[in-house]
Amino acid sequence: MTLPLDGTLQDNQPDLPRFSDLPLRAELLAAVEELGYTHPSPIQAESIAPLVEGRDLLGQAATGTGKTAAFALPMLERLAEQRPERARGEAPFGLILAPTRELALQVSEAVSRYGARLGARVLTVYGGAPVGPQWKALQNGVDVVVATPGRAIDLMNRGALRLDDLEIVVLDEADEMLDMGFVEDIETLLDATPDTRQAVLFSATMPRRIEILAQKYLREPVTVRIRREAVAEGEAPKVRQTAYLVPRTHTTAALGRILEAERPAAAIVFCRTRLDVDAVTEMLTARGLRAEALHGGMDQEHRTRVVERLRSGRTELLVATDVAARGLDIDLLTHVVNHDVPQSSEAYVHRIGRVGRAGREGVAITLVPPSKVHALRAVERLTGQPIAFAAVPTAADLRAARLDRTAAALRERLIADLDPDAADPDATPVDPDGVRAMLAGLTAEFDAVDVAAAAIRLMQEAAGSPEDGEDIPVVSMPRSGGPRESRGRGGAAGTRPPKAGTTRLFVNAGRASGVRPQDIVGALANESNLSGRDIGAIQIHERHALVEIPEHAADDVLRSLRGSTTLKGRRANVRRDRGFAGAAAGGSRARRD
Ligand code: AMP
């Protein structure tokens, strides 16, 4: 059975499960009622009772299915049951691990809201923020900790996060956490929890790695699987998926045209790096579209404001990196746009899962260079749904569309200005602002149509509509559809220069401090916008480590790290490797620091 989640449910559907049928106490039922949830979603209907019983659970469900309440409500119910026996101020009762600070904050807000009547003490801890206040809050006693894995490890190593008395651990978006290189951290944290604890694992996809993790850490779990789109049985998912084949060099220009033609009401545009985010935001703004950037280099408050503006319709485009937008749940999203083909098919599915929800229409747009067509084909195989290729609007198409919009606006204005009550249609129209008198002067001198044409051109120039004179070259589909080059992490030889297009960072901590490659991947992925896949060869030496990252992302990464990162609970300096600072593709010399 599938249920929509977006409030379209009617109370007069008697066979639907009800919250009051679930083993939840009055305070929790009151909280969900206050939030306007009329019925439990499928994942909630299936998960809540076994979780309250204390069973482990393996759930396949993405954002938007109601999975947060599915694990948070039972956790709070069990907290309330056991609280009389647990002294306040003891070690945390529940730990929820989430891949990013955005998701951690979102989950934490939900748990706080559901648990407000029970006085549940909820704390969010994540990398990139000062450790001190988080450490202090833990000392004061917390019931539920929502954490990103890197920071959880850090706080555990400092003795601030005690897991020895934990009752419940939840891995939220486990596939994302593994993708970000957190597997070792997660295992370390799980190993530090008592054998008796309840374990819950939610993941949007179920790759083999997740199954292995589940086999290792879950005991006879209940399994629940929910498709993201809550569409009626047999109805096709309502996401129109379109791809545009464009040369890599023209991606941003093509994107501007496509969005101008599509005019989405609310869209997220995904870019690979922060630099791309800034460039794309600037270009879209120059085209007169309301676009705002969202990336890890912005402070939390700013990010929250930007997301709020999209939610409330004050902006129409959010240009974001994957990491910054991960887990965001924006109800009214109409379009998901991929400025670049996502790194994996699962990432594509994650992204487009944000639209076309609860039976609404959604659009997914992907810009594809010829070398990435094979990646899109892989997505088609994974989802079993075709992705249609369309042509980028030409300059002439856009001009025609702009004129259509101007004509429609003028027509609307002309009709609005007609005065239906005017007693005498031949009477001289009123002219309070003198526009008519000015036109009378001009039309005595010039043809009236020429005057109107000049007025419209002036208006278009003032609106900043860019010239789209240069056409975007048409590229043909690669015959094999196969990748042009492959890359792998590979073990690097000690002194060879980094691969073209990549640069090497120097980290002043190594084997002697117990640093492992996964620690470096975790630190970089947690504190910058890189994903695990962006990170190339890592060499761990006795007292230092070298890590290859894409050259185009290097400045951005260094800026967000501000020169250091936490590895194994200690600060380590990070800078460009002086030996090979200038090895970017095309021989451009990188700055030396
Ligand atoms: P999640 O999948 O946990 O990210 O939740 C997606 C959205 O659905 C959130 O905005 C929740 O507040 C909302 N939600 C969760 N459960 C329900 C429900 N039973 N009825 C209506 N909305 C819900």
Side-chain angles (χ1 to χ4, degrees):
M1 178 188 56
T2 54
L3 287 184
L5 240 189
D6 65 343
T8 56
L9 287 175
Q10 301 299 316
D11 274 331
N12 57 8
Q13 291 175 269
D15 48 343
L16 291 180
R18 286 187 313 222
F19 275 109
S20 53
D21 299 332
L22 297 172
L24 297 173
R25 64 193 53 217
E27 290 90 337
L28 295 171
L29 295 178
V32 294
E33 191 183 344
E34 190 177 278
L35 288 166
Y37 303 175
T38 52
H39 296 268
S41 73
I43 191 104
Q44 293 161 1
E46 289 188 43
S47 309
I48 290 176
L51 286 177
V52 171
E53 257 177 47
R55 297 282 307 268
D56 282 2
L57 185 137
L58 175 63
Q60 181 168 3
T63 302
T65 51
K67 68 178 162 60
T68 314
F71 63 74
L73 293 170
M75 182 184 277
L76 291 162
E77 174 63 35
R78 295 198 58 207
L79 170 70
E81 278 168 13
Q82 297 189 21
R83 195 180 251 155
E85 296 137 42
R86 293 174 67 93
R88 269 178 101 85
E90 266 188 31
F93 176 86
L95 172 69
I96 302 167
L97 293 173
T100 62
R101 54 181 156 178
E102 266 69 28
L103 186 64
L105 285 163
Q106 201 166 288
V107 167
S108 170
E109 198 187 308
V111 179
S112 305
R113 228 186 290 143
Y114 303 139
R117 287 181 172 77
L118 298 172
R121 299 165 302 167
V122 183
L123 177 71
T124 330
V125 300
Y126 46 80
V131 163
Q134 299 178 354
W135 190 82
K136 220 165 159 184
L138 283 166
Q139 298 300 308
N140 290 339
V142 172
D143 296 312
V144 178
V145 177
V146 189
T148 53
R151 182 53 63 97
I153 287 270
D154 192 357
L155 288 163
M156 184 178 84
N157 289 341
R158 288 165 191 253
L161 178 62
R162 279 182 46 203
L163 300 179
D164 51 315
D165 209 16
L166 198 80
E167 289 286 345
I168 306 177
V169 60
V170 177
L171 306 183
D172 194 12
E173 306 214 345
D175 50 354
E176 293 278 356
M177 291 197 280
L178 296 199
D179 272 357
M180 291 172 75
F182 284 136
V183 66
E184 292 274 337
D185 285 349
I186 288 172
E187 296 209 344
T188 307
L189 288 163
L190 289 171
D191 288 337
T193 59
D195 285 346
T196 50
R197 52 93 186 105
Q198 178 181 28
V200 182
L201 187 159
F202 274 108
S203 186
T205 56
M206 277 297 154
R208 183 82 193 111
R209 296 173 306 147
I210 294 286
E211 288 171 5
I212 293 171
L213 193 71
Q215 270 162 15
K216 190 162 169 198
Y217 290 101
L218 304 184
R219 276 160 319 187
E220 298 171 20
V222 179
T223 56
V224 181
R225 201 174 158 196
I226 302 292
R227 277 194 317 132
R228 180 150 194 332
E229 285 85 17
V231 287
E233 211 79 30
E235 194 182 333
K238 291 184 174 171
V239 181
R240 168 162 60 86
Q241 298 179 62
T242 309
Y244 294 86
L245 190 65
V246 282
R248 193 180 290 284
T249 43
H250 288 68
T251 311
T252 304
L255 177 69
R257 287 192 187 181
I258 294 162
L259 288 179
E260 196 187 320
E262 279 277 338
R263 309 233 121 207
I268 295 190
V269 181
F270 285 101
C271 297
R272 249 168 55 75
T273 67
R274 286 181 202 175
L275 292 180
D276 290 342
V277 166
D278 287 336
V280 167
T281 311
E282 202 171 297
M283 177 278 300
L284 293 173
T285 311
R287 292 190 93 91
L289 297 164
R290 290 179 299 161
E292 301 223 35
L294 179 76
H295 61 59
M298 296 157 48
D299 65 44
Q300 193 53 49
E301 207 180 307
H302 189 180
R303 286 156 81 164
T304 311
R305 270 203 312 274
V306 167
V307 174
E308 258 330 294
R309 279 202 286 273
L310 185 73
R311 274 194 226 276
S312 62
R314 274 172 292 159
T315 193
E316 53 204 6
L317 299 165
L318 208 62
V319 186
T321 53
D322 250 325
V323 175
R326 209 165 265 162
L328 277 185
D329 171 39
I330 296 167
D331 264 357
L332 298 172
L333 214 59
T334 56
H335 289 59
V336 163
V337 182
N338 300 310
H339 178 259
D340 309 278
V341 179
Q343 304 272 11
S344 67
S345 302
E346 281 85 12
Y348 179 95
V349 173
H350 260 286
R351 287 183 184 180
I352 75 156
R354 292 153 194 271
V355 289
R357 297 169 50 174
R360 276 197 295 268
E361 286 277 335
V363 180
I365 290 173
T366 307
L367 280 88
V368 197
S371 62
K372 290 285 177 171
V373 170
H374 68 281
L376 222 58
R377 297 291 181 226
V379 170
E380 286 182 322
R381 283 195 296 277
L382 180 75
T383 59
Q385 290 165 14
I387 302 174
F389 274 84
V392 177
T394 62
D397 292 339
L398 284 186
R399 265 196 306 277
R402 276 180 211 155
L403 283 178
D404 280 349
R405 283 200 300 274
T406 306
L410 281 172
R411 196 166 289 120
E412 208 173 291
R413 184 65 191 242
L414 286 163
I415 291 169
D417 285 352
L418 285 179
D419 181 358
D421 300 328
D424 175 5
D426 295 328
T428 317
V430 287
D431 187 23
D433 48 10
V435 171
R436 284 174 174 277
M438 181 269 282
L439 280 176
L442 282 174
T443 48
E445 208 179 328
F446 301 99
D447 178 70
V449 173
D450 288 343
V451 172
I456 285 169
R457 291 204 184 96
L458 273 179
M459 190 181 91
Q460 286 186 338
E461 278 167 32
S465 303
E467 256 315 307
D468 273 303
E470 189 204 347
D471 245 318
I472 294 174
V474 176
V475 279
S476 53
M477 201 69 94
R479 219 173 295 155
S480 70
R484 294 228 169 122
E485 54 171 31
S486 62
R487 63 176 283 278
R489 185 159 289 175
T495 52
R496 68 156 183 77
K499 246 181 15 205
T502 69
T503 196
R504 195 176 278 164
L505 301 182
F506 176 94
V507 184
N508 74 341
R511 243 191 319 273
S513 324
V515 171
R516 303 156 306 166
Q518 55 268 36
D519 300 324
I520 295 197
V521 173
L524 290 187
N526 201 21
E527 292 184 33
S528 77
N529 259 346
L530 283 184
S531 80
R533 284 171 224 272
D534 294 329
I535 299 171
I538 297 176
Q539 303 170 49
I540 308 281
H541 296 266
E542 197 52 23
R543 302 206 174 273
H544 74 278
L546 297 171
V547 47
E548 283 182 16
I549 61 166
E551 167 60 31
H552 62 81
D555 283 351
D556 218 23
V557 169
L558 289 167
R559 245 196 315 276
S560 55
L561 295 178
R562 291 199 208 91
S564 68
T565 187
T566 305
L567 281 171
K568 293 281 159 195
R570 285 204 222 137
R571 288 319 276 174
N573 294 336
V574 183
R575 56 173 167 76
R576 279 183 193 268
D577 177 26
R578 293 203 171 92
F580 295 107
S588 69
R589 295 203 68 74
R591 257 194 359 245
R592 295 193 170 231
D593 51 356

